[in-house]
Amino acid sequence: MVAAIRVPKTKRARRELLKHAPKLVETGKKTLILHGTKTSAVLNSVLSDIYHLKRDNAVKYTKKNDNIRPFESGGESSLEFFSLKTDCSLIVYGSHSKKRPNNLILGRTYDHHIYDLVEVGVENYKSMESYVYDKKLAPKLGSKPFFAFIGEHFESSELKHLKEVLLDLFRGEVVENLNLAGVDRMYVCTAISPTTVYMMHCALRLKRSGTSIPRMELVEVGPSMDLVVRRHRLPVESLKKEAMKTAEHAKKVKNVTKDPVQGRLGKVYMPDQQVGKLTLSNDIKGLKRERREAKKNKEHSKKQKVNPE
C-alpha cells in the first residue's frame, strides 16, 4: 500500500517545507549520528567525541539499528528515512563486526538521498578524556576550525574523497567574514599511506611575536585516530550534476543601477522631438479645452456688459 502524499494546506506549512528543501547555497549542515546492530567500546567513544565536536549542529541516536547496509542495494533506505526525519544532510554510522572491526561510515545526502559514502576503520584511537591540558584552551562552542592536509596521497581518488567528506563534516557553518579570535582549533590530517590518514584535533594558542601577526602554537586536545579507508562510493553522475547546480547570473539590464537609498534607478533616452514638422488635427483635447475656456470668457464678458456695476 502506497502512502498518500500530504500537501501543505497553510502558508506557514509551505514556508516550513521550503526551509527543509535543498538550496543553491548551503550555509550549515546538520549531522546525524547512528549506532549499528553491534558496536564496540572504542566505536562508542568515537561517536560520542564526534557528537561533542558537533553538538551545536548534530542529532545522535543511541538505540541500535538493524538492517542498515549502505553499500548494498536497498540497504540505504533506513539512512534516507532518518535523514528526512531529522533534516540532516551528513551521516555518521558506526558498526563493529569480525570482518570489519571498529567500522565508521561517513556519508552525505542530497535532497535526503544518499549522495556519496566513505567507509573507514578506526585504529590507534585516543579519546578526548585521555588528554591532560589547561581547560581554558578547550575550543568554544560554535568556533571555526583550521584544516591542514599533509601528504601527497591526498591527490589519489580514495583520500581525496575522504578529504572532501571530512571538510564537510567538521567545517561548520559557511561564513564570509572571519574573526581571528573565533578560530581557536585545528584539524591536522596526515596521509601516512595511500589508504591511511592520521587525524588529530588541536587547540590553537595565539602568542605575542613582536609583530602584527601572532605566533601560533598547537596543543593536542583530542581525539586522535588513524582512519583506514576500506570502501568508498562516489556520487552518481546525474545526482552530482543536480547537486552541483549553481545560481544563474542575472542578466545585466542596460542603463539600470541599484542605489541603497533610492532603490532601483534607470535612465530613459528619448529621441529628439520635432514638433514643428508634426501635423496637428482638430481633435486634440488641448484645443477643445482652449475653445471651452474661450467660450466661457466670452459669455462672462457679455454678462458684465449687460449688468454693469
Side-chain angles (χ1 to χ4, degrees):
M1 183 177 179
V2 180
I5 300 174
R6 299 178 64 183
V7 180
K9 298 180 180 179
T10 61
K11 292 183 178 180
R12 182 178 180 182
R14 293 192 194 99
R15 288 195 298 268
E16 289 298 322
L17 285 179
L18 287 175
K19 289 180 183 179
H20 300 310
K23 300 175 181 60
L24 289 173
V25 180
E26 296 283 353
T27 56
K29 298 182 179 181
K30 290 175 63 178
T31 304
L32 173 64
I33 300 174
L34 292 171
H35 291 253
T37 307
K38 184 180 179 182
T39 56
S40 62
V42 172
L43 203 58
N44 290 335
S45 182
V46 171
L47 296 176
S48 297
D49 283 351
I50 293 176
Y51 177 70
H52 181 76
L53 295 172
K54 298 270 300 178
R55 63 189 182 276
D56 58 332
N57 206 9
V59 177
K60 183 184 178 184
Y61 287 166
T62 57
K63 186 179 178 181
K64 295 181 180 180
N65 299 279
D66 300 330
N67 301 323
I68 296 181
R69 298 178 180 85
F71 284 91
E72 297 180 10
S73 178
E76 70 275 5
S77 58
S78 296
L79 291 180
E80 293 176 351
F81 167 76
F82 284 119
S83 173
L84 179 62
K85 181 180 179 181
T86 58
D87 191 28
C88 293
S89 57
L90 297 170
I91 296 174
V92 179
Y93 173 72
S95 62
H96 178 75
S97 64
K98 186 176 180 181
K99 185 179 180 181
R100 292 187 176 88
N102 300 326
N103 200 50
L104 201 64
I105 296 178
L106 310 176
R108 296 183 290 181
T109 65
Y110 175 75
D111 198 13
H112 306 298
H113 295 287
I114 296 296
Y115 180 72
D116 60 352
L117 296 168
V118 178
E119 184 182 65
V120 295
V122 179
E123 299 178 357
N124 302 323
Y125 170 73
K126 288 186 178 180
S127 65
M128 299 177 70
E129 296 179 354
S130 62
Y131 286 90
V132 179
Y133 58 92
D134 186 3
K135 297 304 178 183
K136 293 180 181 179
L137 298 176
K140 300 177 181 63
L141 186 66
S143 61
K144 293 285 290 181
F146 278 122
F147 285 90
F149 292 93
I150 305 169
E152 59 183 8
H153 296 299
F154 280 110
E155 299 301 322
S156 64
S157 175
E158 295 169 342
L159 294 193
K160 187 177 181 180
H161 190 195
L162 178 62
K163 174 184 174 181
E164 294 176 359
V165 176
L166 290 176
L167 280 172
D168 249 3
L169 181 63
F170 292 109
R171 70 177 177 176
E173 188 175 350
V174 180
V175 294
E176 295 181 359
N177 300 320
L178 194 63
N179 187 359
L180 189 60
V183 185
D184 57 355
R185 56 199 175 105
M186 183 175 186
Y187 291 98
V188 182
C189 302
T190 307
I192 302 173
S193 70
T195 57
T196 306
V197 173
Y198 172 65
M199 178 181 173
M200 64 178 180
H201 180 226
C202 302
L204 190 63
R205 298 181 64 185
L206 302 178
K207 291 193 171 184
R208 294 180 180 177
S209 61
T211 62
S212 59
I213 301 174
R215 181 169 58 89
M216 295 186 291
E217 286 187 359
L218 297 180
V219 179
E220 197 169 354
V221 296
S224 66
M225 65 193 91
D226 289 341
L227 301 177
V228 183
V229 179
R230 291 171 178 168
R231 291 183 291 179
H232 73 114
R233 192 178 84 183
L234 295 173
V236 183
E237 195 63 31
S238 59
L239 188 62
K240 182 179 180 180
K241 186 177 180 181
E242 186 179 353
M244 293 295 179
K245 190 184 297 182
T246 56
E248 296 181 359
H249 296 288
K251 293 182 179 179
K252 188 176 180 181
V253 182
K254 191 176 180 180
N255 302 325
V256 175
T257 58
K258 290 185 178 180
D259 187 84
V261 178
Q262 297 180 350
R264 193 176 181 184
L265 301 175
K267 293 181 180 179
V268 179
Y269 292 90
M270 299 183 65
D272 294 335
Q273 297 181 5
Q274 299 176 356
V275 182
K277 295 182 180 179
L278 295 177
T279 57
L280 300 177
S281 64
N282 295 328
D283 296 332
I284 300 176
K285 293 181 179 179
L287 294 176
K288 292 181 179 179
R289 184 171 60 250
E290 290 179 359
R291 292 194 192 104
R292 286 195 301 268
E293 291 177 355
K295 188 177 181 181
K296 286 181 180 180
N297 293 333
K298 190 176 181 180
E299 291 177 355
H300 184 67
S301 60
K302 285 181 178 180
K303 289 180 180 179
Q304 286 182 345
K305 289 180 180 179
V306 174
N307 301 318
E309 293 181 358

